[in-house]
Amino acid sequence: MKNILLLLLFFIISCTNNNREEIKFRILHMNDTHSKNKEFIKVSKDKTYTNIYGGASRRKTFIDEYRSTNDNVILMHAGDTIAGSVFSIVYLGLDEVQIMNDIGFDVATLGNHEFDFGVSQLDKVIESRHFPTIACNVYFIGTTNRYVKSYITTNINGANIAIVGVLQSEKRNIIDGLDILEIEDEVDSLKKLLKEVPLKSTNDVLILLSHSGIDVDKKIATDIPNTFNIIVGGHSHTLLKDPIFIKNTMIVQAGEYGEYIGAIDVKFKNNKYSSSDCQLVRLDENIKEDKTMLATISNMQIEVDKRFNIAIANLSENLLDDNIRSESVALGNFVADVVEASQDSIDIALVNSGSLRGSLYSGNVTLGNIYEFFPFDNLIVLTTIDGKLLKQILELSASSRGEGAFMQISKNATVYFDSNGNIVDCYIKGEKIEDNKKYTVAVADYIFGGGENYIDENGKPLFQYGENVIHTGVDMRDLIIKSLKEGSIEIDSKERIIFN
């Protein structure tokens, strides 16, 4: 009888243990670091507070310490490792390769900015990486051959894991390579791949490493339901403090520029995937910078300084990019005003916030600082449109709050929106914008071509409905440099876009 009771007790304990969730493995993830290799130092307007965060050296410290205290960790990047800093301009993306190799990444997907320096240079970047680069929807034109691997599989702590990569399919966001490469729709390509290879049924966990943006990630989870356990996202620079759940898919994203790293505990129950817990960790000044990585970046800086450590101007106060994708700020006002002042005929200048990738701080401003905050070669295009279309464009901008499509506007304009993003009132030079009146608008050539989805339902770029189109060939960054050199900058922090 005693032996029977002991056997029964052992059976009960065994069943209880099997029903308990256990952490099978962990994921660390980041996205859209854009070669921001050095730490950010932001001083408050009243100079009483300094906010220090980010940088590759802190990434290295955090990841090393995390791995030292946690077993079975996968480190992944959801794309756009390069473009957006002077390091990328000098090293054409190979700076980030060295950093990511030193940190020890396990996998990355392609981002649209990986193509900025051409496909041949991207080939060098991919070949130099000590980890795979994946994307299922990028093909050589006219073939069934994919540019990189679609997915990888691995086994960690007894769990079979498949990680699939996907790149955003908006061709306007790809600067180079579309003469030899074709990018398929994300959902269509994923469905095709999953039909070709039964990754869901042959693996315990299926992860999508996506550089498609939060809206497309939601669409993937909806259109391909109960398939991907986790979508690790990028492209939209979304800071998801809480994950989004659609069906049985968890969607995460870690903001931008390496300020945060996402950490996910993947749990199993009864030897099957059950759930995941996630958190965001801010890489602030409490995390020490790795000395070896600091030395690596300092060596890189030598070549950077040869080209970019050239004094341009002296600023009296900070021009910060805080909240620049959701409201009008002094930095956006400044750039929009510089563009508007370039031609007497311009009624309003619109600058997409996605083109502004950093702050300008008080004190000495160098050429490198300019390229850091405005890294893209945006040429000014003038187009004359009616007020009705202009208001439609402004409402489209309002619907894009939190995204790069949100527009900063020049000083002659003021726009009032209701809580739904509909225009209540809008003015240029103190006069209401009238539907039938014509207005000359200045935008970047990228936006004129339909970038940031400024297109109609048929895919035609909205600004191309205008008349008297002039491709000025004037570079916005050159105008910014000229304005700073001449000391003609007027810092205006007044809100020009007001949401009720």
Side-chain angles (χ1 to χ4, degrees):
M1 182 63 135
K2 184 178 179 181
N3 290 337
I4 293 174
L5 289 173
L6 287 172
L7 184 64
L8 182 60
L9 182 62
F10 176 77
F11 176 74
I12 292 170
I13 292 172
S14 298
C15 290
T16 302
N17 288 338
N18 285 338
N19 286 323
R20 190 176 62 205
E21 280 192 322
E22 62 167 332
I23 297 173
K24 199 70 171 177
F25 63 94
R26 292 176 166 89
I27 298 169
L28 290 178
H29 66 93
M30 65 189 77
N31 55 277
D32 299 280
T33 48
H34 286 283
S35 197
K36 301 295 187 183
N37 300 333
K38 299 175 70 175
E39 68 179 4
F40 289 84
I41 303 175
K42 292 190 175 183
V43 181
S44 62
K45 192 171 183 179
D46 59 7
K47 299 184 179 180
T48 60
Y49 175 71
T50 303
N51 184 9
I52 301 173
Y53 62 89
S57 299
R58 281 198 179 86
R59 285 175 233 161
K60 172 72 170 163
T61 295
F62 175 81
I63 291 164
D64 284 352
E65 290 181 354
Y66 189 90
R67 281 172 165 156
S68 71
T69 56
N70 296 279
D71 297 326
N72 309 311
V73 177
I74 304 175
L75 176 60
M76 55 183 69
H77 198 296
D80 274 5
T81 64
I82 63 176
S85 87
V86 288
F87 286 90
S88 264
I89 295 170
V90 172
Y91 294 101
L92 304 179
L94 293 175
D95 58 310
E96 202 71 5
V97 171
Q98 182 177 347
I99 287 169
M100 294 176 76
N101 286 344
D102 288 349
I103 289 175
F105 275 79
D106 295 300
V107 64
T109 192
L110 287 172
N112 55 294
H113 285 292
E114 260 72 81
F115 294 86
D116 281 9
F117 303 118
V119 174
S120 60
Q121 183 62 25
L122 178 54
D123 290 342
K124 293 177 184 176
V125 167
I126 292 171
E127 290 166 6
S128 301
R129 286 175 167 177
H130 297 167
F131 53 90
T133 303
I134 57 175
C136 70
N137 61 330
V138 184
Y139 290 83
F140 288 100
I141 289 177
T143 75
T144 57
N145 299 323
R146 292 182 172 96
Y147 175 57
V148 292
K149 289 181 179 180
S150 298
Y151 65 93
I152 61 168
T153 57
T154 187
N155 185 287
I156 297 179
N157 195 23
N160 292 320
I161 305 160
I163 305 170
V164 179
V166 69
L167 170 66
Q168 64 88 46
S169 60
E170 176 50 68
K171 293 177 176 61
R172 294 181 184 89
N173 294 331
I174 305 292
I175 289 178
D176 191 283
L178 294 178
D179 55 333
I180 59 172
L181 296 174
E182 179 180 6
I183 305 171
E184 285 189 342
D185 175 80
E186 295 94 331
V187 171
D188 292 344
S189 193
L190 286 166
K191 284 182 176 180
K192 182 168 66 176
L193 172 66
L194 294 170
K195 189 175 181 181
E196 293 172 2
V197 188
L199 292 172
K200 180 65 175 175
S201 61
T202 57
N203 289 277
D204 300 307
V205 180
L206 183 56
I207 299 167
L208 179 64
L209 191 55
S210 166
H211 193 82
S212 299
I214 189 64
D215 291 337
V216 176
D217 289 343
K218 291 177 184 177
K219 187 175 189 300
I220 291 168
T222 302
D223 292 358
I224 313 177
N226 305 315
T227 301
F228 295 102
N229 302 106
I230 303 168
I231 297 178
V232 175
H235 182 56
S236 54
H237 295 218
T238 307
L239 185 66
L240 285 180
K241 293 186 177 179
D242 296 305
I244 295 171
F245 288 92
I246 297 178
K247 306 295 184 179
N248 291 318
T249 298
M250 181 177 80
I251 303 172
V252 297
Q253 195 175 148
E256 62 184 10
Y257 307 152
E259 181 177 356
Y260 289 85
I261 289 182
I264 305 172
D265 292 340
V266 181
K267 297 181 178 180
F268 274 45
K269 186 176 181 181
N270 296 328
N271 295 319
K272 291 184 178 180
Y273 174 81
S274 56
S275 66
S276 292
D277 293 333
C278 64
Q279 63 174 324
L280 288 171
V281 180
R282 190 169 187 267
L283 302 186
D284 60 22
E285 57 191 302
N286 293 313
I287 298 172
K288 293 182 179 179
E289 294 185 283
D290 180 82
K291 291 182 180 179
T292 302
M293 184 63 75
L294 274 175
T296 297
I297 295 169
S298 293
N299 287 333
M300 293 178 181
Q301 186 76 49
I302 294 171
E303 193 62 34
V304 169
D305 285 346
K306 289 179 182 178
R307 290 178 57 180
F308 290 100
N309 193 22
I310 301 168
I312 298 295
N314 194 284
L315 275 181
S316 60
E317 60 183 272
N318 293 331
L319 289 171
L320 303 179
D321 64 343
D322 297 346
N323 303 316
I324 200 165
R325 294 186 176 210
S326 58
E327 58 190 58
S328 59
V329 299
L331 180 67
N333 291 349
F334 162 59
V335 175
D337 290 349
V338 166
V339 173
E340 185 204 26
S342 67
Q343 298 268 355
D344 291 337
S345 62
I346 297 171
D347 294 303
I348 182 172
L350 303 175
V351 177
N352 61 303
S353 296
S355 64
L356 308 175
R357 296 300 179 101
S359 302
L360 289 176
Y361 298 103
S362 61
N364 189 42
V365 176
T366 68
L367 184 63
N369 298 144
I370 304 298
Y371 274 81
E372 287 278 353
F373 107 90
F374 202 96
F376 307 114
D377 299 326
N378 287 344
L379 304 180
I380 297 172
V381 178
L382 306 183
T383 181
T384 301
I385 60 177
D386 61 41
K388 184 177 180 180
L389 178 56
L390 177 56
K391 287 191 279 189
Q392 179 186 339
I393 288 167
L394 291 170
E395 288 187 342
L396 183 57
S397 167
S399 72
S400 303
R401 288 189 84 185
E403 301 174 10
F406 183 77
M407 293 290 190
Q408 300 290 316
I409 63 177
S410 54
K411 62 184 177 183
N412 286 328
T414 310
V415 187
Y416 297 87
F417 294 97
D418 63 20
S419 58
N420 296 317
N422 299 313
I423 289 178
V424 177
D425 281 310
C426 52
Y427 301 88
I428 290 179
K429 297 178 181 177
E431 297 182 359
K432 277 196 173 186
I433 297 176
E434 300 176 12
D435 285 355
N436 297 321
K437 188 174 178 179
K438 300 291 185 179
Y439 299 89
T440 299
V441 182
V443 293
D445 52 346
Y446 165 66
I447 297 297
F448 181 80
E452 301 285 15
N453 282 320
Y454 280 94
I455 54 177
D456 66 12
E457 63 276 6
N458 298 314
K460 180 174 177 176
L462 291 173
F463 289 97
Q464 292 185 16
Y465 281 99
E467 306 168 350
N468 305 318
V469 174
I470 301 172
H471 293 267
T472 68
V474 176
D475 190 298
M476 288 186 181
R477 187 172 52 230
D478 289 346
L479 285 177
I480 293 167
I481 293 169
K482 181 175 181 287
S483 177
L484 288 169
K485 278 185 172 181
E486 292 174 349
S488 57
I489 176 175
E490 293 182 12
I491 297 177
D492 177 14
S493 57
K494 181 182 176 182
E495 285 192 71
R496 301 167 180 181
I497 305 167
I498 296 96
F499 290 90
N500 297 321

